[in-house]
Amino acid sequence: MQWLAEICVTRPVFATMLILSLVTVGVFSFFSLGVDLFPKIDFPTITITVINPGASPQEVETEVTDKIEEAVNNISGIDELRSTSIEGISQVFIQFVLEKDVNVAAQEAENRVQTVIPNLPDTAEQPTVQKLDTDAAPVLRIVVSAPESLRDVTDTADKKIKRRLESVNGVGQITIIGGRERQINVWIDPDKLRSYNITAGEVSNALKIQNIEFPSGRLDEGQTETSVRTLGKIKKPEEFANIVVATRGTYSVKIKDLGYVEDGAEEIRTQALLNGQPAVTLIVSKQSGQNTVAVAKEIKSRIIDIQKTLPGNYKVEIIGDNSIFIENSLHSIEEHLIVGGILAAIVVFLFLWNIRTTFIAALAIPTSIISTFALMYAMGYTLNSITMLSLTLMVGIVIDDAIVVLENIYRYVEEKGMNPFQAAIEGTKEIGLAVLATTLSLMAVFVPIGFMQGIVGRFMSSFGLTASFAVGVSLIVSFTLTPMLAARLIKSPKPKVQSPEPEELEIHGDGMLMSDEEIANRKGQRTKDKGQSSKDSWFYARIDATYTWLLKFSMGHRWVIVTLCVLVFLSIVPLFMFVGKNFLPVDDQSQFEIAVRAPEGSSLQASTVLMERIATDVRKMAGVTDTLITIGGGQQQVVNSGSIYVKLSDISQRTKTQEQLMTDARALLQNYPKELRTAVQPVAAFSGGGQRNANVQFLISGPDLKVLEDYSAKILEKMRSSPDAVDVDSTLISG
């Protein structure tokens, strides 16, 4: 690499263009990088869902789940096969080994499922095969409310808000919870059905047959051809009353003879309440790999425009916004990155005590960091907590190479009186191999992290490669930009004028001769004065003396140093045992959720009243700003199960942390019946795959469900007796 330094010193334009090209690509890459909380992780997990309305869990298991599992069980690379059978819904979760390509796995599962469709019940819907998308967690929770009927609010939320937001770039799915769509209800009197000897099935068939449009072929007329359609769709709700159900003699029995038609709304199976008031909630998820912050900003901007087109009594609020925590986290890391760079430059200045040399060394920090954005863009990385942590860590490392090279060049200029141009070449050449070895040793630590296997490797891969590239760029900077600038910014040494020492007079001013001791003291005083006037007088003398003492002590007591090193190394084991361990950091996101499942058989109204009681108590807690209840969401639409989303004020505006408030919420839930199944948990960063948002999960299996139920009850009882276990629950639901 010494030849590169010599070229850059003699050809400064080449060195400047080389570094500028890296920085320019890095700058443009920075503005193209996505922003998210964690790196994009692809877990090879497939979910197969089959809906069979009205079927019991046992029927779903035998008629649907078992057949799906049998069909997909022999796909290569399966690590775990799980299933859940509940009323009306079967879900089969296939977790493959990490090496399996998720797209190939999804296609294989789709092909196997197609072969079993003819064997499924006629009432079952078409199976859906979905890949696990870690980005499927909600980005925004939007609440629409107005002093209107729930049907009108739902219609407005669907047609004027949801459909316009779906066109926003990056929006994946928008789910409406708590809405009630328009529906034409036909109410039949059973007594009238019996009087006309008509069944409910005949009424249903009549409605299907006489409310339909279908193609009827073509009509050829010489040189023209016309497409024919049978127009049978009913245009107005009141026309349903004239549909003929059956004929009794010469009289046609119509719907209006059996009951009446209502232009109403569908049966309520979901519910949403914001601070106790009914509302319609839109759960917005982004597309996989999209910029969370950018998507959220675009949606907020679009909502402002939509609000202007809505009636004045309609209110659109954003209650949950995951992008706020992501943005604040990245801003905090960016601030640390900048402050760290400034502090590193200040430390260098304190030791070099020269603005020019400090500028040369400090320039390596922004150059290396900005250039690293180019690799991140090429590798498909995002600006997230992992990659930004890597860059923050590199602030103190990327400047090392430049400092070593610069200090050696400065030594050639100051001690040997060499010209800065020649010193830049010779100084870099002398230290080049050592700098290269140092950089390679750092890369030998970080590069293997980029190729780690397993789940941890999926997260830390971007960390290792980002750090390695930053260190690599710092090496290039130290061999190109640093010697080039040093050759031009370091001042040439002033020629030293050798003045003869004045002959020491050995007589006093009164003519008396001085003693040898007095002469030695006077010489020592002059030497001391010269030392204090130099740059490295008092401060550096103390550092030099301390370092020299430590070095002499270490070399003279080698076994002491070796013993201390061994003790420090062995202390890793006990210290590791005392340090907390977690896969993801526990952050205060100013939000959490309370999952609630009422006793089996509870109606939607009963579940709503119960959860609103809990939400009312939670809103009384200091630091809670809003609560959003959602019941019956998702494909299952279980009316006795829902969640309470709790929004907290900013951490700077409350005295308790999120964890403390969650503990208070658990204590509050102790006042409710034990039959209530609850869990207080952070808002999930990842969702899908059939996994619950729990830190520890146990799986017990066996052929007898009754025995498993008994075992699980005993395990739950034992767990609940532990003070360290909270939110203990089981996936088994009886009733």
Side-chain angles (χ1 to χ4, degrees), residues 609-620:
V609 171
L610 179 61
M611 294 181 67
E612 178 53 31
R613 284 176 52 198
I614 299 175
T616 302
D617 291 339
V618 170
R619 286 196 297 271
K620 296 177 182 178

Side-chain angles (χ1 to χ4, degrees), residues 30 48 81 108 177 203 246 316 348 387 419 651 661:
F30 173 79
I48 304 172
L81 181 63
E108 291 179 353
I177 298 179
V203 177
V316 182
V348 172
T387 54
N419 181 278
I651 187 173
L661 289 172

Side-chain angles (χ1 to χ4, degrees), residues 179-310:
R180 196 178 185 192
E181 296 183 356
R182 181 189 182 190
Q183 180 174 285
I184 306 301
N185 298 317
V186 179
W187 299 95
I188 302 299
D189 187 342
D191 294 332
K192 293 182 179 180
L193 282 178
R194 284 193 294 269
S195 64
Y196 285 104
N197 194 25
I198 296 175
T199 64
E202 291 180 89
V203 177
S204 176
N205 290 333
L207 289 170
K208 292 178 182 178
I209 295 172
Q210 299 181 49
N211 182 35
I212 190 173
E213 290 186 4
F214 54 90
S216 300
R218 299 187 305 273
L219 180 61
D220 294 329
E221 296 179 319
Q223 296 182 352
T224 62
E225 179 181 282
T226 306
S227 296
V228 179
R229 279 191 310 129
T230 300
L231 303 179
K233 277 283 186 181
I234 295 176
K235 305 299 182 183
K236 298 179 181 180
E238 54 268 19
E239 294 179 1
F240 280 95
N242 296 320
I243 290 180
V244 177
V245 179
T247 303
R248 295 296 178 261
T250 59
Y251 183 74
S252 298
V253 182
K254 300 179 180 179
I255 293 291
K256 61 184 178 182
D257 298 323
L258 304 173
Y260 65 95
V261 178
E262 176 194 31
D263 186 1
E266 65 180 357
E267 180 187 3
I268 299 179
R269 298 296 295 174
T270 66
Q271 185 75 57
L273 288 88
L274 174 62
N275 298 327
Q277 299 299 318
V280 177
T281 302
L282 281 71
I283 307 296
V284 183
S285 301
K286 68 182 181 70
Q287 294 176 355
S288 178
Q290 292 294 320
N291 187 328
T292 301
V293 175
V295 171
K297 285 184 177 179
E298 181 62 26
I299 291 175
K300 294 174 188 176
S301 177
R302 185 71 62 88
I303 288 176
I304 294 175
D305 296 335
I306 293 174
Q307 182 73 70
K308 298 176 182 178
T309 64
L310 299 177

Side-chain angles (χ1 to χ4, degrees), residues 7 33 52 57 63 88 267 289 312 371 464 477 519 546 590 656 692 725:
I7 292 176
L33 291 173
N52 188 16
E63 298 295 327
E267 180 187 3
S371 301
V477 171
I519 295 174
T546 303
S590 298
K656 291 187 176 181
R692 303 187 67 185

